[in-house]
Amino acid sequence: MTDQELVELAFTMLERSYVPYSHFPVGAALECADGTVFTGCNVENAAYGSSICAERTALVKAVSGGHRDDFTRIAVVGNSTEPCWPCGACRQMLYEFAPGLTVLVAQRDHSFVKLPLSELLTHGFGPKSLG
Ligand code: THU
């Protein structure tokens, strides 16, 4: 699958987003080495802090589906005029399982930036940090 195809898969998730509070839909598509893709969207809650981001939705679907150490790329997309950068909590959660992950960050016009997670979370704290 090309990078753009993974981005387009993430875009299909925008319509599933539950965003009555922020009105800011986000979609994600997380790819595994065997080609399996887990998609996600943000799901908000009246107790705002209980909301979950699109990337973490995709990640928990993947981990609960039996994947852990085989993540290759994630696409994160938003309806924004700037790239929809992953929040800090999502960067941390992704780093736990895939410090070498490639991240594709897209905006409304479907263009995207490609960069390693290690650039989004430098000197990250992960399982190895516990020594
Ligand atoms: N959001 C995500 O889904 N992913 C991110 O990495 C950034 C923020 C969601 C959370 C909330 O539902 C909305 O975007 C506005 O912050």
mmCIF file of all heavy atoms in Angstrom, residues 43-98:
data_model
loop_
_atom_site.group_PDB
_atom_site.id
_atom_site.type_symbol
_atom_site.label_atom_id
_atom_site.label_comp_id
_atom_site.label_asym_id
_atom_site.label_seq_id
_atom_site.Cartn_x
_atom_site.Cartn_y
_atom_site.Cartn_z
ATOM 1 N N VAL A 43 -13.422 9.772 19.518
ATOM 2 C CA VAL A 43 -14.737 9.545 20.131
ATOM 3 C C VAL A 43 -14.778 10.367 21.415
ATOM 4 O O VAL A 43 -14.040 10.077 22.366
ATOM 5 C CB VAL A 43 -14.959 8.047 20.438
ATOM 6 C CG1 VAL A 43 -16.336 7.835 21.060
ATOM 7 C CG2 VAL A 43 -14.815 7.201 19.165
ATOM 8 N N GLU A 44 -15.597 11.402 21.396
ATOM 9 C CA GLU A 44 -15.637 12.336 22.533
ATOM 10 C C GLU A 44 -16.702 11.945 23.550
ATOM 11 O O GLU A 44 -17.461 10.986 23.360
ATOM 12 C CB GLU A 44 -15.856 13.754 21.993
ATOM 13 C CG GLU A 44 -14.693 14.189 21.110
ATOM 14 C CD GLU A 44 -14.823 15.605 20.575
ATOM 15 O OE1 GLU A 44 -15.921 16.201 20.687
ATOM 16 O OE2 GLU A 44 -13.815 16.108 20.043
ATOM 17 N N ASN A 45 -16.729 12.690 24.646
ATOM 18 C CA ASN A 45 -17.591 12.371 25.773
ATOM 19 C C ASN A 45 -17.967 13.666 26.474
ATOM 20 O O ASN A 45 -17.165 14.614 26.481
ATOM 21 C CB ASN A 45 -16.796 11.449 26.727
ATOM 22 C CG ASN A 45 -17.640 10.888 27.818
ATOM 23 O OD1 ASN A 45 -17.839 11.517 28.847
ATOM 24 N ND2 ASN A 45 -18.164 9.709 27.602
ATOM 25 N N ALA A 46 -19.160 13.703 27.069
ATOM 26 C CA ALA A 46 -19.622 14.910 27.758
ATOM 27 C C ALA A 46 -18.667 15.302 28.890
ATOM 28 O O ALA A 46 -18.536 16.487 29.211
ATOM 29 C CB ALA A 46 -21.032 14.705 28.296
ATOM 30 N N ALA A 47 -18.021 14.299 29.481
ATOM 31 C CA ALA A 47 -16.917 14.571 30.422
ATOM 32 C C ALA A 47 -15.666 14.624 29.542
ATOM 33 O O ALA A 47 -15.040 13.609 29.279
ATOM 34 C CB ALA A 47 -16.813 13.460 31.459
ATOM 35 N N TYR A 48 -15.364 15.815 29.058
ATOM 36 C CA TYR A 48 -14.414 15.971 27.948
ATOM 37 C C TYR A 48 -13.148 15.125 28.057
ATOM 38 O O TYR A 48 -12.649 14.581 27.083
ATOM 39 C CB TYR A 48 -13.998 17.447 27.801
ATOM 40 C CG TYR A 48 -15.118 18.419 27.552
ATOM 41 C CD1 TYR A 48 -14.939 19.780 27.809
ATOM 42 C CD2 TYR A 48 -16.352 17.999 27.073
ATOM 43 C CE1 TYR A 48 -15.953 20.693 27.582
ATOM 44 C CE2 TYR A 48 -17.383 18.906 26.848
ATOM 45 C CZ TYR A 48 -17.181 20.245 27.107
ATOM 46 O OH TYR A 48 -18.184 21.150 26.891
ATOM 47 N N GLY A 49 -12.604 15.049 29.272
ATOM 48 C CA GLY A 49 -11.329 14.360 29.462
ATOM 49 C C GLY A 49 -11.390 12.868 29.187
ATOM 50 O O GLY A 49 -10.356 12.217 29.048
ATOM 51 N N SER A 50 -12.591 12.336 29.124
ATOM 52 C CA SER A 50 -12.746 10.898 28.851
ATOM 53 C C SER A 50 -12.721 10.582 27.369
ATOM 54 O O SER A 50 -12.884 9.431 26.976
ATOM 55 C CB SER A 50 -14.074 10.390 29.436
ATOM 56 O OG SER A 50 -14.192 10.749 30.781
ATOM 57 N N SER A 51 -12.535 11.586 26.554
ATOM 58 C CA SER A 51 -12.512 11.375 25.098
ATOM 59 C C SER A 51 -11.249 10.617 24.692
ATOM 60 O O SER A 51 -10.251 10.625 25.411
ATOM 61 C CB SER A 51 -12.536 12.731 24.387
ATOM 62 O OG SER A 51 -13.681 13.464 24.768
ATOM 63 N N ILE A 52 -11.334 9.975 23.527
ATOM 64 C CA ILE A 52 -10.137 9.279 23.020
ATOM 65 C C ILE A 52 -9.851 9.755 21.603
ATOM 66 O O ILE A 52 -10.770 9.994 20.807
ATOM 67 C CB ILE A 52 -10.298 7.738 23.078
ATOM 68 C CG1 ILE A 52 -8.996 7.045 22.661
ATOM 69 C CG2 ILE A 52 -11.473 7.264 22.222
ATOM 70 C CD1 ILE A 52 -8.949 5.557 22.982
ATOM 71 N N CYS A 53 -8.569 9.902 21.316
ATOM 72 C CA CYS A 53 -8.128 10.368 19.998
ATOM 73 C C CYS A 53 -8.185 9.234 18.976
ATOM 74 O O CYS A 53 -8.207 8.044 19.327
ATOM 75 C CB CYS A 53 -6.688 10.860 20.072
ATOM 76 S SG CYS A 53 -6.449 12.361 21.033
ATOM 77 N N ALA A 54 -8.141 9.621 17.719
ATOM 78 C CA ALA A 54 -8.204 8.655 16.614
ATOM 79 C C ALA A 54 -7.031 7.670 16.642
ATOM 80 O O ALA A 54 -7.214 6.467 16.428
ATOM 81 C CB ALA A 54 -8.217 9.413 15.292
ATOM 82 N N GLU A 55 -5.829 8.191 16.911
ATOM 83 C CA GLU A 55 -4.643 7.327 16.892
ATOM 84 C C GLU A 55 -4.713 6.275 17.991
ATOM 85 O O GLU A 55 -4.366 5.103 17.780
ATOM 86 C CB GLU A 55 -3.359 8.148 17.120
ATOM 87 C CG GLU A 55 -3.131 9.268 16.145
ATOM 88 C CD GLU A 55 -3.706 10.591 16.649
ATOM 89 O OE1 GLU A 55 -4.909 10.634 16.981
ATOM 90 O OE2 GLU A 55 -2.955 11.572 16.680
ATOM 91 N N ARG A 56 -5.156 6.690 19.173
ATOM 92 C CA ARG A 56 -5.226 5.719 20.274
ATOM 93 C C ARG A 56 -6.362 4.725 20.052
ATOM 94 O O ARG A 56 -6.273 3.580 20.471
ATOM 95 C CB ARG A 56 -5.329 6.437 21.615
ATOM 96 C CG ARG A 56 -3.940 6.877 22.117
ATOM 97 C CD ARG A 56 -4.001 7.638 23.407
ATOM 98 N NE ARG A 56 -4.545 8.960 23.198
ATOM 99 C CZ ARG A 56 -5.293 9.624 24.072
ATOM 100 N NH1 ARG A 56 -5.605 9.063 25.220
ATOM 101 N NH2 ARG A 56 -5.707 10.836 23.803
ATOM 102 N N THR A 57 -7.438 5.167 19.407
ATOM 103 C CA THR A 57 -8.503 4.221 19.050
ATOM 104 C C THR A 57 -7.932 3.135 18.147
ATOM 105 O O THR A 57 -8.141 1.931 18.383
ATOM 106 C CB THR A 57 -9.651 4.946 18.320
ATOM 107 O OG1 THR A 57 -10.188 5.958 19.165
ATOM 108 C CG2 THR A 57 -10.750 3.970 17.935
ATOM 109 N N ALA A 58 -7.198 3.540 17.118
ATOM 110 C CA ALA A 58 -6.606 2.561 16.189
ATOM 111 C C ALA A 58 -5.617 1.658 16.925
ATOM 112 O O ALA A 58 -5.601 0.438 16.721
ATOM 113 C CB ALA A 58 -5.914 3.292 15.041
ATOM 114 N N LEU A 59 -4.820 2.257 17.804
ATOM 115 C CA LEU A 59 -3.798 1.483 18.516
ATOM 116 C C LEU A 59 -4.425 0.445 19.452
ATOM 117 O O LEU A 59 -3.985 -0.717 19.487
ATOM 118 C CB LEU A 59 -2.871 2.424 19.296
ATOM 119 C CG LEU A 59 -1.735 1.753 20.060
ATOM 120 C CD1 LEU A 59 -0.774 1.026 19.116
ATOM 121 C CD2 LEU A 59 -0.967 2.774 20.899
ATOM 122 N N VAL A 60 -5.431 0.832 20.203
ATOM 123 C CA VAL A 60 -6.016 -0.144 21.133
ATOM 124 C C VAL A 60 -6.792 -1.228 20.383
ATOM 125 O O VAL A 60 -6.857 -2.372 20.839
ATOM 126 C CB VAL A 60 -6.881 0.517 22.233
ATOM 127 C CG1 VAL A 60 -6.055 1.424 23.120
ATOM 128 C CG2 VAL A 60 -8.069 1.254 21.668
ATOM 129 N N LYS A 61 -7.334 -0.881 19.229
ATOM 130 C CA LYS A 61 -7.953 -1.916 18.396
ATOM 131 C C LYS A 61 -6.887 -2.920 17.958
ATOM 132 O O LYS A 61 -7.110 -4.134 17.976
ATOM 133 C CB LYS A 61 -8.618 -1.289 17.163
ATOM 134 C CG LYS A 61 -9.968 -0.648 17.457
ATOM 135 C CD LYS A 61 -10.481 0.143 16.263
ATOM 136 C CE LYS A 61 -10.871 -0.713 15.073
ATOM 137 N NZ LYS A 61 -11.389 0.122 13.952
ATOM 138 N N ALA A 62 -5.724 -2.415 17.559
ATOM 139 C CA ALA A 62 -4.652 -3.287 17.070
ATOM 140 C C ALA A 62 -4.105 -4.168 18.192
ATOM 141 O O ALA A 62 -3.955 -5.381 18.019
ATOM 142 C CB ALA A 62 -3.533 -2.433 16.470
ATOM 143 N N VAL A 63 -3.830 -3.557 19.341
ATOM 144 C CA VAL A 63 -3.251 -4.331 20.448
ATOM 145 C C VAL A 63 -4.250 -5.363 20.953
ATOM 146 O O VAL A 63 -3.908 -6.533 21.182
ATOM 147 C CB VAL A 63 -2.778 -3.391 21.582
ATOM 148 C CG1 VAL A 63 -2.332 -4.195 22.799
ATOM 149 C CG2 VAL A 63 -1.633 -2.501 21.090
ATOM 150 N N SER A 64 -5.514 -4.970 21.067
ATOM 151 C CA SER A 64 -6.524 -5.934 21.530
ATOM 152 C C SER A 64 -6.811 -6.971 20.456
ATOM 153 O O SER A 64 -7.385 -8.025 20.750
ATOM 154 C CB SER A 64 -7.810 -5.206 21.952
ATOM 155 O OG SER A 64 -8.344 -4.456 20.879
ATOM 156 N N GLY A 65 -6.388 -6.697 19.229
ATOM 157 C CA GLY A 65 -6.526 -7.668 18.149
ATOM 158 C C GLY A 65 -5.318 -8.584 18.016
ATOM 159 O O GLY A 65 -5.247 -9.394 17.098
ATOM 160 N N GLY A 66 -4.347 -8.432 18.933
ATOM 161 C CA GLY A 66 -3.221 -9.364 18.959
ATOM 162 C C GLY A 66 -1.928 -8.825 18.390
ATOM 163 O O GLY A 66 -0.930 -9.537 18.331
ATOM 164 N N HIS A 67 -1.923 -7.575 17.954
ATOM 165 C CA HIS A 67 -0.681 -6.989 17.414
ATOM 166 C C HIS A 67 0.005 -6.154 18.496
ATOM 167 O O HIS A 67 -0.653 -5.491 19.289
ATOM 168 C CB HIS A 67 -1.006 -6.112 16.202
ATOM 169 C CG HIS A 67 -1.455 -6.916 15.023
ATOM 170 N ND1 HIS A 67 -0.625 -7.296 14.000
ATOM 171 C CD2 HIS A 67 -2.679 -7.446 14.720
ATOM 172 C CE1 HIS A 67 -1.299 -8.006 13.117
ATOM 173 N NE2 HIS A 67 -2.556 -8.112 13.520
ATOM 174 N N ARG A 68 1.366 -6.196 18.461
ATOM 175 C CA ARG A 68 2.123 -5.457 19.480
ATOM 176 C C ARG A 68 3.398 -4.837 18.962
ATOM 177 O O ARG A 68 3.701 -3.692 19.246
ATOM 178 C CB ARG A 68 2.528 -6.407 20.620
ATOM 179 C CG ARG A 68 1.546 -6.440 21.723
ATOM 180 C CD ARG A 68 2.107 -7.157 22.920
ATOM 181 N NE ARG A 68 1.006 -7.480 23.813
ATOM 182 C CZ ARG A 68 1.123 -8.167 24.916
ATOM 183 N NH1 ARG A 68 2.298 -8.622 25.272
ATOM 184 N NH2 ARG A 68 0.075 -8.387 25.667
ATOM 185 N N ASP A 69 4.152 -5.636 18.259
ATOM 186 C CA ASP A 69 5.514 -5.205 17.920
ATOM 187 C C ASP A 69 5.760 -5.206 16.418
ATOM 188 O O ASP A 69 6.894 -5.371 15.986
ATOM 189 C CB ASP A 69 6.528 -6.110 18.633
ATOM 190 C CG ASP A 69 6.248 -7.580 18.362
ATOM 191 O OD1 ASP A 69 5.418 -7.875 17.482
ATOM 192 O OD2 ASP A 69 6.864 -8.426 19.031
ATOM 193 N N ASP A 70 4.710 -5.032 15.645
ATOM 194 C CA ASP A 70 4.869 -5.136 14.191
ATOM 195 C C ASP A 70 4.252 -3.943 13.458
ATOM 196 O O ASP A 70 3.839 -4.059 12.315
ATOM 197 C CB ASP A 70 4.233 -6.442 13.689
ATOM 198 C CG ASP A 70 2.751 -6.554 14.022
ATOM 199 O OD1 ASP A 70 2.284 -5.839 14.938
ATOM 200 O OD2 ASP A 70 2.052 -7.334 13.361
ATOM 201 N N PHE A 71 4.207 -2.797 14.117
ATOM 202 C CA PHE A 71 3.609 -1.625 13.481
ATOM 203 C C PHE A 71 4.625 -0.935 12.579
ATOM 204 O O PHE A 71 5.789 -0.764 12.945
ATOM 205 C CB PHE A 71 3.066 -0.653 14.537
ATOM 206 C CG PHE A 71 2.039 -1.284 15.438
ATOM 207 C CD1 PHE A 71 2.200 -1.271 16.821
ATOM 208 C CD2 PHE A 71 0.917 -1.896 14.908
ATOM 209 C CE1 PHE A 71 1.251 -1.867 17.654
ATOM 210 C CE2 PHE A 71 -0.035 -2.499 15.731
ATOM 211 C CZ PHE A 71 0.134 -2.482 17.102
ATOM 212 N N THR A 72 4.175 -0.561 11.399
ATOM 213 C CA THR A 72 5.083 0.026 10.410
ATOM 214 C C THR A 72 4.812 1.513 10.173
ATOM 215 O O THR A 72 5.722 2.339 10.218
ATOM 216 C CB THR A 72 4.977 -0.752 9.081
ATOM 217 O OG1 THR A 72 3.594 -0.912 8.752
ATOM 218 C CG2 THR A 72 5.636 -2.117 9.209
ATOM 219 N N ARG A 73 3.546 1.850 9.881
ATOM 220 C CA ARG A 73 3.203 3.245 9.568
ATOM 221 C C ARG A 73 1.855 3.580 10.195
ATOM 222 O O ARG A 73 0.995 2.707 10.353
ATOM 223 C CB ARG A 73 3.037 3.454 8.051
ATOM 224 C CG ARG A 73 4.290 3.370 7.237
ATOM 225 C CD ARG A 73 3.978 3.544 5.747
ATOM 226 N NE ARG A 73 3.177 2.430 5.246
ATOM 227 C CZ ARG A 73 2.695 2.329 4.006
ATOM 228 N NH1 ARG A 73 2.907 3.297 3.133
ATOM 229 N NH2 ARG A 73 1.994 1.272 3.635
ATOM 230 N N ILE A 74 1.672 4.864 10.492
ATOM 231 C CA ILE A 74 0.335 5.333 10.873
ATOM 232 C C ILE A 74 0.046 6.607 10.087
ATOM 233 O O ILE A 74 0.946 7.449 9.897
ATOM 234 C CB ILE A 74 0.186 5.577 12.397
ATOM 235 C CG1 ILE A 74 -1.291 5.872 12.746
ATOM 236 C CG2 ILE A 74 1.085 6.722 12.882
ATOM 237 C CD1 ILE A 74 -1.597 5.874 14.246
ATOM 238 N N ALA A 75 -1.179 6.726 9.603
ATOM 239 C CA ALA A 75 -1.640 7.960 8.975
ATOM 240 C C ALA A 75 -2.611 8.635 9.930
ATOM 241 O O ALA A 75 -3.479 7.973 10.515
ATOM 242 C CB ALA A 75 -2.334 7.662 7.649
ATOM 243 N N VAL A 76 -2.446 9.925 10.110
ATOM 244 C CA VAL A 76 -3.313 10.729 10.971
ATOM 245 C C VAL A 76 -3.839 11.884 10.124
ATOM 246 O O VAL A 76 -3.029 12.618 9.526
ATOM 247 C CB VAL A 76 -2.544 11.288 12.188
ATOM 248 C CG1 VAL A 76 -3.500 11.966 13.158
ATOM 249 C CG2 VAL A 76 -1.754 10.200 12.881
ATOM 250 N N VAL A 77 -5.150 12.036 10.066
ATOM 251 C CA VAL A 77 -5.703 13.040 9.150
ATOM 252 C C VAL A 77 -6.770 13.884 9.840
ATOM 253 O O VAL A 77 -7.481 13.417 10.720
ATOM 254 C CB VAL A 77 -6.310 12.376 7.890
ATOM 255 C CG1 VAL A 77 -5.358 11.352 7.290
ATOM 256 C CG2 VAL A 77 -7.656 11.749 8.177
ATOM 257 N N GLY A 78 -6.852 15.133 9.393
ATOM 258 C CA GLY A 78 -7.870 16.034 9.931
ATOM 259 C C GLY A 78 -8.414 16.921 8.833
ATOM 260 O O GLY A 78 -7.880 16.962 7.717
ATOM 261 N N ASN A 79 -9.474 17.629 9.162
ATOM 262 C CA ASN A 79 -10.131 18.521 8.216
ATOM 263 C C ASN A 79 -9.534 19.912 8.292
ATOM 264 O O ASN A 79 -10.169 20.885 7.903
ATOM 265 C CB ASN A 79 -11.617 18.596 8.577
ATOM 266 C CG ASN A 79 -12.453 18.217 7.388
ATOM 267 O OD1 ASN A 79 -12.021 18.380 6.247
ATOM 268 N ND2 ASN A 79 -13.654 17.729 7.649
ATOM 269 N N SER A 80 -8.331 20.006 8.788
ATOM 270 C CA SER A 80 -7.707 21.283 9.089
ATOM 271 C C SER A 80 -6.849 21.782 7.928
ATOM 272 O O SER A 80 -6.454 21.002 7.052
ATOM 273 C CB SER A 80 -6.839 21.125 10.339
ATOM 274 O OG SER A 80 -6.154 19.888 10.279
ATOM 275 N N THR A 81 -6.546 23.069 7.963
ATOM 276 C CA THR A 81 -5.716 23.655 6.911
ATOM 277 C C THR A 81 -4.229 23.476 7.217
ATOM 278 O O THR A 81 -3.386 23.880 6.431
ATOM 279 C CB THR A 81 -6.021 25.156 6.754
ATOM 280 O OG1 THR A 81 -5.905 25.773 8.026
ATOM 281 C CG2 THR A 81 -7.427 25.363 6.216
ATOM 282 N N GLU A 82 -3.943 22.888 8.353
ATOM 283 C CA GLU A 82 -2.563 22.545 8.724
ATOM 284 C C GLU A 82 -2.524 21.043 8.984
ATOM 285 O O GLU A 82 -3.561 20.440 9.257
ATOM 286 C CB GLU A 82 -2.177 23.250 10.028
ATOM 287 C CG GLU A 82 -2.270 24.745 9.949
ATOM 288 C CD GLU A 82 -1.095 25.416 10.631
ATOM 289 O OE1 GLU A 82 -0.460 24.782 11.474
ATOM 290 O OE2 GLU A 82 -0.831 26.574 10.297
ATOM 291 N N PRO A 83 -1.349 20.411 8.937
ATOM 292 C CA PRO A 83 -1.282 18.980 9.259
ATOM 293 C C PRO A 83 -1.868 18.719 10.646
ATOM 294 O O PRO A 83 -1.701 19.524 11.559
ATOM 295 C CB PRO A 83 0.221 18.687 9.231
ATOM 296 C CG PRO A 83 0.809 19.737 8.352
ATOM 297 C CD PRO A 83 -0.027 20.967 8.576
ATOM 298 N N CYS A 84 -2.554 17.582 10.785
ATOM 299 C CA CYS A 84 -3.205 17.242 12.061
ATOM 300 C C CYS A 84 -2.198 16.497 12.939
ATOM 301 O O CYS A 84 -2.203 15.265 13.024
ATOM 302 C CB CYS A 84 -4.438 16.387 11.781
ATOM 303 S SG CYS A 84 -5.378 16.040 13.261
ATOM 304 N N TRP A 85 -1.346 17.261 13.591
ATOM 305 C CA TRP A 85 -0.265 16.670 14.387
ATOM 306 C C TRP A 85 -0.812 15.866 15.559
ATOM 307 O O TRP A 85 -1.722 16.332 16.263
ATOM 308 C CB TRP A 85 0.655 17.777 14.923
ATOM 309 C CG TRP A 85 1.339 18.533 13.830
ATOM 310 C CD1 TRP A 85 1.062 19.808 13.423
ATOM 311 C CD2 TRP A 85 2.372 18.052 12.965
ATOM 312 N NE1 TRP A 85 1.871 20.150 12.372
ATOM 313 C CE2 TRP A 85 2.683 19.093 12.060
ATOM 314 C CE3 TRP A 85 3.057 16.844 12.871
ATOM 315 C CZ2 TRP A 85 3.660 18.962 11.070
ATOM 316 C CZ3 TRP A 85 4.031 16.710 11.887
ATOM 317 C CH2 TRP A 85 4.319 17.759 11.004
ATOM 318 N N PRO A 86 -0.258 14.680 15.804
ATOM 319 C CA PRO A 86 -0.699 13.869 16.954
ATOM 320 C C PRO A 86 -0.420 14.583 18.272
ATOM 321 O O PRO A 86 0.621 15.234 18.429
ATOM 322 C CB PRO A 86 0.159 12.608 16.845
ATOM 323 C CG PRO A 86 0.648 12.556 15.446
ATOM 324 C CD PRO A 86 0.753 13.988 14.987
ATOM 325 N N CYS A 87 -1.334 14.445 19.205
ATOM 326 C CA CYS A 87 -1.153 15.062 20.524
ATOM 327 C C CYS A 87 -0.076 14.313 21.308
ATOM 328 O O CYS A 87 0.353 13.215 20.926
ATOM 329 C CB CYS A 87 -2.475 15.074 21.294
ATOM 330 S SG CYS A 87 -2.902 13.496 22.040
ATOM 331 N N GLY A 88 0.327 14.872 22.404
ATOM 332 C CA GLY A 88 1.396 14.274 23.206
ATOM 333 C C GLY A 88 1.050 12.892 23.736
ATOM 334 O O GLY A 88 1.893 11.988 23.739
ATOM 335 N N ALA A 89 -0.199 12.714 24.164
ATOM 336 C CA ALA A 89 -0.605 11.412 24.709
ATOM 337 C C ALA A 89 -0.522 10.333 23.634
ATOM 338 O O ALA A 89 -0.092 9.203 23.894
ATOM 339 C CB ALA A 89 -2.017 11.509 25.277
ATOM 340 N N CYS A 90 -0.917 10.678 22.428
ATOM 341 C CA CYS A 90 -0.859 9.706 21.329
ATOM 342 C C CYS A 90 0.586 9.396 20.954
ATOM 343 O O CYS A 90 0.933 8.248 20.684
ATOM 344 C CB CYS A 90 -1.639 10.220 20.120
ATOM 345 S SG CYS A 90 -3.434 10.194 20.401
ATOM 346 N N ARG A 91 1.429 10.410 20.926
ATOM 347 C CA ARG A 91 2.853 10.175 20.637
ATOM 348 C C ARG A 91 3.424 9.185 21.653
ATOM 349 O O ARG A 91 4.158 8.263 21.318
ATOM 350 C CB ARG A 91 3.639 11.494 20.691
ATOM 351 C CG ARG A 91 3.231 12.450 19.592
ATOM 352 C CD ARG A 91 3.945 13.793 19.662
ATOM 353 N NE ARG A 91 3.239 14.770 18.828
ATOM 354 C CZ ARG A 91 3.760 15.866 18.313
ATOM 355 N NH1 ARG A 91 5.013 16.162 18.550
ATOM 356 N NH2 ARG A 91 3.044 16.677 17.568
ATOM 357 N N GLN A 92 3.088 9.392 22.915
ATOM 358 C CA GLN A 92 3.599 8.528 23.978
ATOM 359 C C GLN A 92 3.082 7.102 23.831
ATOM 360 O O GLN A 92 3.833 6.135 23.960
ATOM 361 C CB GLN A 92 3.194 9.098 25.337
ATOM 362 C CG GLN A 92 3.727 8.320 26.526
ATOM 363 C CD GLN A 92 5.249 8.430 26.654
ATOM 364 O OE1 GLN A 92 5.814 9.497 26.439
ATOM 365 N NE2 GLN A 92 5.909 7.335 26.986
ATOM 366 N N MET A 93 1.803 6.951 23.570
ATOM 367 C CA MET A 93 1.212 5.609 23.437
ATOM 368 C C MET A 93 1.801 4.870 22.241
ATOM 369 O O MET A 93 2.076 3.669 22.316
ATOM 370 C CB MET A 93 -0.314 5.710 23.283
ATOM 371 C CG MET A 93 -1.066 5.894 24.579
ATOM 372 S SD MET A 93 -1.119 4.389 25.581
ATOM 373 C CE MET A 93 -2.377 3.455 24.704
ATOM 374 N N LEU A 94 1.985 5.580 21.132
ATOM 375 C CA LEU A 94 2.569 4.942 19.945
ATOM 376 C C LEU A 94 4.014 4.537 20.221
ATOM 377 O O LEU A 94 4.468 3.459 19.820
ATOM 378 C CB LEU A 94 2.494 5.895 18.743
ATOM 379 C CG LEU A 94 1.080 6.165 18.204
ATOM 380 C CD1 LEU A 94 1.088 7.328 17.228
ATOM 381 C CD2 LEU A 94 0.493 4.910 17.543
ATOM 382 N N TYR A 95 4.739 5.380 20.946
ATOM 383 C CA TYR A 95 6.157 5.127 21.264
ATOM 384 C C TYR A 95 6.310 3.854 22.104
ATOM 385 O O TYR A 95 7.297 3.131 21.974
ATOM 386 C CB TYR A 95 6.728 6.329 22.011
ATOM 387 C CG TYR A 95 8.222 6.296 22.178
ATOM 388 C CD1 TYR A 95 9.071 6.740 21.167
ATOM 389 C CD2 TYR A 95 8.793 5.836 23.364
ATOM 390 C CE1 TYR A 95 10.445 6.702 21.321
ATOM 391 C CE2 TYR A 95 10.164 5.794 23.525
ATOM 392 C CZ TYR A 95 10.985 6.238 22.506
ATOM 393 O OH TYR A 95 12.355 6.197 22.664
ATOM 394 N N GLU A 96 5.344 3.576 22.942
ATOM 395 C CA GLU A 96 5.382 2.378 23.789
ATOM 396 C C GLU A 96 5.545 1.113 22.944
ATOM 397 O O GLU A 96 6.296 0.201 23.288
ATOM 398 C CB GLU A 96 4.086 2.294 24.598
ATOM 399 C CG GLU A 96 3.913 1.037 25.439
ATOM 400 C CD GLU A 96 4.756 1.064 26.713
ATOM 401 O OE1 GLU A 96 5.233 2.157 27.088
ATOM 402 O OE2 GLU A 96 4.926 -0.015 27.314
ATOM 403 N N PHE A 97 4.800 1.069 21.833
ATOM 404 C CA PHE A 97 4.783 -0.148 21.012
ATOM 405 C C PHE A 97 5.659 -0.051 19.772
ATOM 406 O O PHE A 97 6.057 -1.080 19.231
ATOM 407 C CB PHE A 97 3.336 -0.452 20.589
ATOM 408 C CG PHE A 97 2.446 -0.786 21.746
ATOM 409 C CD1 PHE A 97 1.649 0.175 22.341
ATOM 410 C CD2 PHE A 97 2.438 -2.076 22.271
ATOM 411 C CE1 PHE A 97 0.839 -0.137 23.429
ATOM 412 C CE2 PHE A 97 1.639 -2.400 23.352
ATOM 413 C CZ PHE A 97 0.838 -1.423 23.936
ATOM 414 N N ALA A 98 5.909 1.173 19.285
ATOM 415 C CA ALA A 98 6.578 1.306 17.990
ATOM 416 C C ALA A 98 7.456 2.556 17.919
ATOM 417 O O ALA A 98 7.153 3.493 17.184
ATOM 418 C CB ALA A 98 5.512 1.353 16.891
#
